[in-house]
Structures are given as C-alpha cells and as structure tokens.
Amino acid sequence: ALRSPEYYEPKTLQWCLDNLPTMPPSEVRDLALQLLDALADLHEVGLMHADVKPANVMQLQGTWKLGDLGLMTRNAQLTMGRGTVAFWPPEGTTGPTADLYALGKTLYLALTNTTLKSFDEFLDGSLPVSGDPGTIAHLRTLIQKACHDNPEQRIQTARQFRKLLNQPA
C-alpha cells in the first residue's frame, strides 16, 4: 500500500538501528562494501561526502547508498566544521580520510547498535558484540585503522579499505 508523502519515512541505517535487531556482522560487511564503492567514486573525482553517518545512509531496492549530499564538497574547497561533530576525526573534516573515519564509526554503530559513548570499549575489545567472532575481529581491526587518532596511520583510501575488507579475516 502506498502512503502519502507526509507519512513517507526513508529506510535509513538510523531507522534500522532504532527499529530492527542488530545487523549480523556479515551484513555490516556488505554495508561497508557498498558504501566504500560510493566513497571511492566520490573521492576519485576530487569530492568528499563530509557527513557520513547512519541518518545519511539509505537502503534502496536492497542496496545501501549514501544520501544527503548537501555538504559534499571539492577536496580543494574544504572548510573545517562540515558534517556531524560526533563522527569527525580529531583534526576535523580536512580530507577524504575524514569520510573513512566517519564510515568507521557508522560501521561500529551498525555492528553494535549501541552509542558512540561505547566506541573506545569496542576498539579495545571489551564491548561484547554478537555474531561470528572472526568477522567481528576483522571489522574491529579495520574500524581501528579507519579511526586511528593519527591521520598518517589511518586507511588512506576507500579502495584500500575495500581491499582490506575483502581479505580473509
């Protein structure tokens, strides 16, 4: 049944986190691969999304997509302070690795369905996560690399992130 536009609610990742059981780790991995394809396409033409977070990730016909491109900008025109502070790397949104950092936090939320307050416990392995331990460990390692405090130690490109994700856990 079709609903009138005022009742339409897109199926965002945030909606899923608020209304559905926690995603299995294999689905979080699929989500990551789909979003990394989009980020790679943006980054390779000199753009960055600048506001990757669950509310800006939507599922259309079974595929996860990046939405809300309102803050998207050319890398050369970056200004500090774009996006959602809770998803920023320590240095702010100064380049494409900021999108990968925000993606890391988004994947953490999808994997744990907790809040950003538990992020450090997730990184150090003290936050329990249900699902396949090998997949969880692999995702945790990549999220640690994407969200490293030192920008030089981070995963540098969406293609690199995707390649690491495709390696066996």
Side-chain angles (χ1 to χ4, degrees):
L2 290 175
R3 291 180 283 170
S4 60
E6 63 268 20
Y7 295 107
Y8 174 74
E9 188 175 1
K11 185 177 179 183
T12 64
L13 180 56
Q14 187 62 59
W15 183 91
C16 292
L17 294 175
D18 292 341
N19 296 285
L20 300 175
T22 305
M23 281 184 183
S26 61
E27 283 185 33
V28 175
R29 184 182 171 282
D30 292 344
L31 163 74
L33 291 169
Q34 291 167 23
L35 296 180
L36 285 164
D37 283 344
L39 288 172
D41 289 346
L42 283 176
H43 295 169
E44 287 168 8
V45 295
L47 299 172
M48 78 174 273
H49 186 279
D51 201 18
V52 177
K53 62 183 180 182
N56 291 340
V57 173
M58 345 183 151
Q59 196 175 51
L60 301 165
Q61 298 178 332
T63 303
W64 291 103
K65 309 265 186 193
L66 281 171
D68 193 5
L69 300 175
L71 293 179
M72 187 173 63
T73 185
R74 294 202 166 279
N75 292 333
Q77 300 170 333
L78 281 179
T79 55
M80 287 292 288
R82 299 177 81 86
T84 304
V85 178
F87 291 85
W88 287 358
E91 73 280 5
T93 54
T94 57
T97 61
D99 279 347
L100 302 179
Y101 186 100
L103 177 64
K105 285 198 165 183
T106 298
L107 296 175
Y108 147 77
L109 290 171
L111 195 58
T112 63
N113 205 358
T114 57
T115 66
L116 289 173
K117 290 180 184 141
S118 305
F119 188 62
D120 289 339
E121 292 93 86
F122 168 76
L123 292 180
D124 70 22
S126 62
L127 182 74
V129 181
S130 57
D132 175 61
T135 306
I136 292 165
H138 189 53
L139 287 167
R140 179 182 287 112
T141 298
L142 295 180
I143 292 168
Q144 287 167 333
K145 287 181 183 176
C147 297
H148 199 286
D149 282 343
N150 180 344
E152 317 252 314
Q153 299 294 315
R154 279 188 211 132
I155 296 172
Q156 296 298 304
T157 68
R159 296 251 182 252
Q160 179 191 13
F161 199 148
R162 196 177 201 296
K163 185 177 178 184
L164 291 167
L165 198 54
N166 276 323
Q167 290 174 353

